Structures are given as C-alpha cells and as structure tokens.
Amino acid sequence: EDEEERLFLSLKPASPKEIRWIREKNCLQIVASQARKENGIRMICEWLGISLKEAAAAGDSAEDQEMLKLFLTPEQESDSIDSVTDNNN
C-alpha cells in the first residue's frame, strides 16, 4: 500500500457524521462534516452585513460547485455547473 492509501483507509473507522474527505488528483482534504464552502460564504456575508447579491465567489474544483450555485439565478441553476477547469490562470 502507498502512503495515501494507508491514510485513506485509516479514516474509514471515523464517523461520517464527524468528518468527510475529498480526493481530487493528488490532493486529499479532511474536514469537519459541517464545513462546507457554501456555509462559509453565508457566514462571511452575515458577519459583513451584506447579502449574497453583494458577494462573489470563484472556484476551480468539483467541491466548489455547491458554493457557486449560491450565485446562480433559478434559470442558471437549472442549467447546472457542468465544467471544472484544470487551471486557475
């Protein structure tokens, strides 16, 4: 087994209610289950006293899709986000 696989297997006993993990290419993210980017955007807007209409977001991974949906109109949301870039330049 390689190091990544051993780490991934060691996470399995943890409760899915406590943590979640995301594997994309050569990146493994381990976060609390309730830690989601869309929740963070809402919290920051609340702290700043602004609406989502006054905020913006950008993302480059599949994990960003739910966050980006916060900024879509109902018409845009029905089209969904169907591409993720490999480059952030």
Side-chain angles (χ1 to χ4, degrees):
E1 293 177 35
D2 65 356
E3 185 177 6
E4 177 187 351
E5 190 63 24
R6 284 194 312 271
L7 177 59
F8 186 71
L9 291 172
S10 72
L11 295 174
K12 292 202 182 241
S15 168
K17 293 179 181 178
E18 297 170 14
I19 66 167
R20 64 187 178 93
W21 55 90
I22 302 98
R23 289 173 64 174
E24 285 189 282
K25 297 183 185 175
N26 64 348
C27 179
L28 174 63
Q29 299 178 47
I30 304 168
V31 296
S33 60
Q34 71 276 16
R36 303 214 183 260
K37 291 180 181 183
E38 61 272 20
N39 293 342
I41 292 288
R42 286 187 182 104
M43 184 178 290
I44 289 169
C45 286
E46 185 177 318
W47 287 344
L48 295 174
I50 64 173
S51 72
L52 284 172
K53 291 181 181 181
E54 299 172 277
D60 64 353
S61 72
E63 167 116 31
D64 297 326
Q65 290 184 6
E66 291 302 314
M67 171 189 66
L68 294 172
K69 286 180 183 178
L70 292 175
F71 300 95
L72 298 177
T73 65
E75 296 81 26
Q76 291 169 321
E77 192 170 342
S78 67
D79 292 338
S80 186
I81 299 169
D82 60 5
S83 66
V84 175
T85 183
D86 288 332
N87 190 329
N88 63 358
N89 294 321

